[in-house]
Amino acid sequence: MSLKNRQQLLIVAAGVVVALFVLDRLVIGPLTTSWKQRSETIGKLRESINQGQSLVDRESITRGAWNDMRRNTLPVNASQAEKAVLEAFDQWSRESRVTVNSIKPQWKRGATENYSLLECRVDAAGDLGTLTKFLYEVEHSEMALRVEAVELTARDNDGKQLALGLLVSGLRLAPLGDN
């Protein structure tokens, strides 16, 4: 092969290599990246569609659970709500034979106007078994109550008589038309 043919062949080969490099950097690389991004986006969208379909399929169950929760919240009227909670504490204390010394209700505004909380500080006394039953009744009530804090203190040297300090909050939701 002559020197001139070899130079032409090397120039053509170098040109092809440069053209392939430019083609890779300007066309193939961006297209590959774009395809990968689109594939990821499609995967995320399919997952979102599946989650949405699951929500639609569970709508009746979710609505039923929400309606049950809403039905168990405290009454909208503040005095009726306090009365319901006080009556519930009276019933639980009678059932568990706990002596309730005081109940101090206090209303707290929620972060939004859609709800408010009735916080009750309850001071009670009894032995370990009666206080345990009392706490069980409070925790397993259908009312929308949550035990925030529990304090137990011995009232005698043997620890047979205990004092219970209980902080309970009850949920009151705004009427459906207001939120």
Side-chain angles (χ1 to χ4, degrees), residues 8 65 76 84 104 114 127 139 159:
Q8 287 178 345
V76 175
K104 299 173 188 161
N114 294 336
D127 62 23
E139 275 287 319

Side-chain angles (χ1 to χ4, degrees), residues 106 123 173:
Q106 180 181 1
D123 292 317
L173 295 175

